[in-house]
Amino acid sequence: MGEDLLVGREARTWSLLLGVMMWLPAELDAYLERVVGVSHAEYQVVRWLSAGEDRELHMTRLAATANVTPSHLSRIVARLERRGWIERSPDPDDARRTLARLTPDGAATVAACEPGYAAEVRRLVFAHLQRDQVDQLADIAEAVLTPLRPDCVAALPGP
């Protein structure tokens, strides 16, 4: 019976993790909505595009790195296109693929928002952790995420 249910430390740990997964994005959504009028998922899309050397990615790669489904990404990109932050175009090397490109207005938005976003993440997460806990959190997150989405882990910059 014990292996059929989450009990004790596993139950508590799972509940804590669920709380973080629910409430941390909600806090970041509220912050980003207040300062720039976008959701956390929308901000992650422009943030990932801004990190690239040429500020463009194939939509499938962008969906993986921004941690959204391709259909959700299409809706997000459509909203960001209306704001003038992203442009889509066929890949000149493979017309079956679509490129998303950050516009100068999108890049300026990320540049203006990133210091405040980083401060908010530090306030909500890292201010409560010791250095060794940050390393442990990174190791744990990678261990859990890798079998679920190795493409996401592979797209991340190194430590």
Side-chain angles (χ1 to χ4, degrees):
M1 178 160 114
E3 292 193 25
D4 294 340
L5 303 172
L6 295 175
V7 296
R9 190 154 178 85
E10 282 186 340
R12 178 176 168 73
T13 302
W14 180 242
S15 293
L16 289 167
L17 181 58
L18 282 176
V20 169
M21 291 186 314
M22 288 174 23
W23 296 110
L24 183 58
E27 287 290 320
L28 292 170
D29 270 339
Y31 169 77
L32 289 165
E33 191 64 46
R34 194 170 55 251
V35 299
V36 72
V38 297
S39 71
H40 192 237
E42 291 167 333
Y43 185 69
Q44 287 308 305
V45 168
V46 293
R47 190 169 181 260
W48 275 108
L49 284 172
S50 74
E53 187 175 305
D54 52 6
R55 295 185 172 164
E56 69 181 17
L57 284 172
H58 287 108
M59 291 284 285
T60 52
R61 176 80 185 252
L62 183 57
T65 55
N67 195 27
V68 295
T69 64
S71 62
H72 188 197
L73 178 64
S74 290
R75 291 188 300 275
I76 288 171
V77 168
R79 286 191 298 271
L80 296 172
E81 278 181 311
R82 286 192 294 274
R83 294 189 106 159
W85 295 357
I86 290 179
E87 299 170 334
R88 279 187 274 195
S89 62
D91 182 341
D93 298 325
D94 184 351
R96 297 170 297 176
R97 299 173 76 185
T98 301
L99 289 169
R101 181 176 300 106
L102 191 65
T103 66
D105 283 348
T109 299
V110 173
C113 290
E114 193 61 19
Y117 176 78
E120 192 70 0
V121 169
R122 281 189 192 101
R123 181 183 74 79
L124 293 169
V125 179
F126 297 112
H128 307 286
L129 302 175
Q130 300 297 317
R131 173 72 183 153
D132 62 326
Q133 291 175 310
V134 173
D135 294 339
Q136 291 168 355
L137 181 59
D139 291 344
I140 291 165
E142 187 169 347
V144 173
L145 185 57
T146 297
L148 297 172
R149 296 299 301 265
D151 53 332
C152 291
V153 175
L156 293 172

